[in-house]
Amino acid sequence: MLPKKMHAVEIIEPGGPDVLRINTFSVPHPGDGEVLIRIHAAGVNRPDVVQRQGMYPPPPDASPLPGLEIAGEVVAHGKNTYRYPVGARVMALLTGGGYAEFATADERNVLPIPQNISYIHAAGIPETFFTVWSNVFHRGNLQKGETLLVHGGSSGIGTTAIQLAKAFGSPVIVTTGSDEKCKACLDLGANLAINYKNMDFVEEVKTFTKNKGVDVILDMVGGDYTERNYRAAAMDGRILQIAFLRGHKVTSNLGTLMMKRLVHTGSTLRAQDVIFKARIANVLQQQVWPLLETGAIVPIIAKIIPLQQAGKAHEYMEKSNHIGKIILKII
């Protein structure tokens, strides 16, 4: 018998981490094509922070509760579901509602947890792996031997991008904000780690690539990095914008973009439809899951915090001292 009520974290009003509160809600019912998951752990992501601040509203059909990725066990089915039996260990990409004891998910956006992966580690996979694959490999078309530059290399996105790019044969350059973070990125396989606080990444990139530049750039910074990315990019380079921590309004020299034949594109994952995410899920299961199963790629966990202390998890994220993922432990 499943409970009728559950604990979950809600955003009581836009504001700081203290606006995250535990409350009691009805356990959701799985709809057509959905499964109900008892959540063991949930990932904390930058979009959760921006939503809490009131600047990233959920899609119209999404749960208003924060949380975009979870790991747990299937406990009930809606109609027309057939992939995962009750008791199956799974992880899922959500459009909201992950900071809770239960959540529903379209089973096409649900993936099995490899036997060697814990719920804690699995909760750090969906949002980052879907984001990196859909941008770096799908939109950016990173090819074996091409060089990838990742800004924010020690973040959950960054540590994932390093491992995936290296696994598929690409040299990786990262920027990050401390020598400790640089070392962590090098230990993960990055070929060059640049401390942006005391080094010019454009000049470092030129030196490393012998003035060729990088083929693909994954940027979550925006602002003044935009023009610098254009200068650091190789001919026919691709720049993937996934956030703009330094601001979304920029001044750039479009002449550089034109002369180098650059492609600068952006995307958000949350608003993409279920079919798009399902395609990414299928590719990940085919090409990346074998790497997870052998331990060739490992989700990097920075901090594990109880669900009841979700505000502390957001505080920790906003300090930007972490290396890897921040996880909420629920069971």
Side-chain angles (χ1 to χ4, degrees):
M1 295 291 293
L2 293 173
K4 294 183 179 180
K5 298 292 183 179
M6 67 175 186
H7 292 105
V9 173
E10 65 175 340
I11 303 169
I12 60 173
E13 62 184 5
D18 61 327
V19 304
L20 296 177
R21 300 281 178 85
I22 284 280
N23 209 335
T24 302
F25 297 85
S26 296
V27 172
H29 295 283
D32 193 1
E34 293 183 334
V35 293
L36 177 66
I37 299 170
R38 186 191 302 272
I39 304 171
H40 287 245
V44 178
N45 293 281
R46 189 69 61 174
D48 303 339
V49 172
V50 183
Q51 178 180 341
R52 188 207 74 222
Q53 294 169 338
M55 297 182 289
Y56 190 34
D61 59 346
S63 168
L65 303 177
L68 302 176
E69 59 183 348
I70 59 172
E73 58 185 308
V74 174
V75 292
H77 298 89
K79 293 181 180 179
N80 301 310
T81 55
Y82 57 90
R83 298 187 183 188
Y84 301 102
V86 168
R89 299 173 71 245
V90 297
M91 64 185 84
L93 185 69
L94 308 178
T95 54
Y99 290 16
E101 293 177 324
F102 293 88
T104 57
D106 190 295
E107 70 168 1
R108 291 169 292 180
N109 295 165
V110 175
L111 285 162
I113 299 177
Q115 290 186 353
N116 61 315
I117 302 261
S118 68
Y119 285 119
I120 292 293
H121 284 81
I125 291 175
E127 175 72 11
T128 50
F129 277 67
F130 275 72
T131 297
V132 171
W133 192 272
S134 62
N135 282 278
V136 173
F137 295 93
H138 178 65
R139 299 176 70 86
N141 194 31
L142 180 69
Q143 298 295 305
K144 182 178 181 179
E146 290 188 324
T147 303
L148 172 68
L149 170 61
V150 181
H151 293 305
S154 61
S155 66
I157 293 287
T159 55
T160 299
I162 292 168
Q163 294 186 78
L164 283 175
K166 292 296 292 186
F168 289 95
S170 290
V172 181
I173 302 171
V174 302
T175 64
T176 191
S178 73
D179 292 342
E180 178 190 5
K181 290 180 177 181
C182 284
K183 182 181 184 304
C185 292
L186 292 171
D187 289 344
L188 275 177
N191 298 83
L192 175 65
I194 302 165
N195 185 338
Y196 64 79
K197 292 184 178 179
N198 53 35
M199 303 169 77
D200 182 345
F201 77 79
V202 176
E203 293 305 316
E204 296 297 326
V205 162
K206 287 181 177 179
T207 299
F208 181 84
T209 62
K210 299 179 181 177
N211 289 318
K212 175 183 179 291
V214 290
D215 301 287
V216 176
I217 301 175
L218 184 62
D219 183 27
M220 59 189 80
V221 181
D224 63 330
Y225 270 40
T226 304
E227 172 63 25
R228 297 163 73 187
N229 284 336
Y230 290 178
R231 291 191 282 122
M235 294 293 291
D236 297 306
R238 289 87 72 196
I239 301 158
L240 298 316
Q241 201 75 47
I242 58 170
F244 37 83
L245 297 176
R246 289 199 182 185
H248 64 281
K249 294 184 178 181
V250 301
T251 300
S252 294
N253 183 350
L254 294 181
T256 306
L257 181 142
M258 293 171 65
M259 294 300 293
K260 286 188 171 182
R261 303 186 298 271
L262 303 178
V263 174
H264 187 176
T265 182
S267 71
T268 59
L269 181 61
R270 189 180 194 180
Q272 298 280 357
D273 62 30
V274 169
I275 300 300
F276 173 86
K277 296 172 186 175
R279 293 194 190 104
I280 299 299
N282 290 337
V283 174
L284 285 172
Q285 190 165 0
Q286 292 169 13
Q287 300 199 39
V288 176
W289 255 232
L291 299 171
L292 289 168
E293 290 166 352
T294 62
I297 290 179
V298 180
I300 305 303
I301 306 302
K303 195 84 168 177
I304 303 167
I305 297 174
L307 178 68
Q308 294 78 4
Q309 298 176 22
K312 289 187 177 180
H314 278 221
E315 288 177 5
Y316 191 68
M317 171 160 277
E318 289 184 281
K319 290 177 181 177
S320 294
N321 292 326
H322 58 288
I323 297 170
K325 295 286 296 190
I326 302 167
I327 302 296
L328 293 176
K329 188 177 187 299
I330 297 163
I331 294 179

